[in-house]
Amino acid sequence: MEERAEGIVQLLAGVPLFSSLSTDELKQVAALAIPRRFPAETRVFSEGDDGGTCFVLKSGSCRVTREHRDGRAITLANLGPGAVFGEMSLFDEGKRSASVETSDAVELLAIPATDMRSLLRQHPELAEKMVVALAERLRAANERLASQSFQTVPARVSAALIQALSTPEASAGGTNEPVTLNMRQADLAQLAGTSRESVSRFIAGLEREGVVKVGRGRLTILRPDDLQNYVP
């Protein structure tokens, strides 16, 4: 039990929302965490659902999506180990602003919002640290959205691929070695906020240039560093 608690503390220490907390504060948050498991291609929660729980991704991967009224969906982010989602529920009782689905089997830590709010009321200094971390996350998200709005399709697709390469599972480590991503072109289109046709044309061009190799449900980046040539 003690070893499990220590593992949760270490995981939380690497999560930006909690990274500024002291070891004692992390232990208090860890004591609230409930282990959860979900199989692949499973909805964790849906846009519009009541909040109530913050999740920390221990293993596996998830995607964050939003749907338009006409049925179109866009992927806002792909999440890997150490990511946090549903964190707004720790501070308000609003509805979920996006949906989260598992890409493969995942292990999560669920932190009940009612328990966390009780802890924050008892320790205002803990709340202040977390609000600062949350503000930094929101500022970074705004910068990404603003930047994407002015980017061309090649720039947006390349940026999405670079982001995917930065996850622990796919990290190229700056070596420019080939990296295979389990990603369909439809998923890439959602992540880049563009059409599948536009993505297919750009990827076909990259394949002709020897930058990528397309497979069934996967994309091998043969020369990761070359993607930077398309990002302003």
Side-chain angles (χ1 to χ4, degrees), residues 19-232:
S19 60
S20 63
L21 305 186
S22 67
T23 300
D24 287 341
E25 290 169 335
L26 288 170
K27 287 180 178 178
Q28 294 179 75
V29 177
L32 306 178
I34 303 169
R36 299 283 303 277
R37 287 182 171 85
F38 290 86
E41 301 300 329
T42 301
R43 184 69 62 92
V44 179
F45 57 72
S46 299
E47 182 179 348
D49 285 353
D50 291 331
T53 307
C54 169
F55 294 93
V56 176
L57 188 51
K58 184 178 180 182
S59 66
S61 59
C62 294
R63 54 182 175 269
V64 183
T65 65
R66 290 202 69 170
E67 293 184 6
H68 192 271
R69 283 173 295 182
D70 64 8
R72 289 179 299 166
I74 183 171
T75 299
L76 301 179
N78 286 311
L79 307 177
V84 61
F85 58 91
E87 67 272 28
M88 296 301 293
S89 67
L90 299 180
F91 300 94
D92 67 19
E93 298 180 358
K95 304 289 186 180
R96 298 293 193 188
S97 60
S99 301
V100 176
E101 303 170 344
T102 63
S103 300
D104 44 34
V106 302
E107 291 184 89
L108 303 172
L109 293 178
I111 302 175
T114 52
D115 294 341
M116 190 66 195
R117 288 189 202 126
S118 177
L119 181 63
L120 295 178
R121 284 193 293 269
Q122 297 171 37
H123 301 279
E125 69 284 356
L126 193 157
E128 182 178 356
K129 292 177 182 178
M130 290 183 61
V131 167
V132 170
L134 185 62
E136 292 175 350
R137 282 170 57 82
L138 291 175
R139 187 176 296 110
N142 286 339
E143 289 294 332
R144 286 195 300 271
L145 288 173
S147 175
Q148 189 182 63
S149 298
F150 297 101
Q151 287 180 341
T152 63
V153 168
R156 289 155 70 177
V157 174
S158 297
L161 288 172
I162 291 170
Q163 180 185 9
L165 288 171
S166 69
T167 62
E169 298 92 337
S171 178
T175 62
N176 207 31
E177 294 293 326
V179 180
T180 297
L181 301 173
N182 292 318
M183 178 182 290
R184 300 169 302 175
Q185 292 192 33
D187 298 328
L188 182 55
Q190 289 186 355
L191 191 60
T194 188
S195 68
R196 188 185 185 285
E197 292 74 19
S198 295
V199 169
S200 295
R201 285 194 294 270
F202 178 58
I203 293 297
L206 290 180
E207 190 167 30
R208 287 193 296 271
E209 295 172 16
V211 178
V212 305
K213 181 179 180 181
V214 178
R216 185 180 294 275
R218 61 180 55 195
L219 187 65
T220 299
I221 314 301
L222 300 173
R223 301 201 306 268
D225 288 353
D226 284 19
L227 293 174
Q228 294 289 351
N229 296 334
Y230 301 92
V231 181

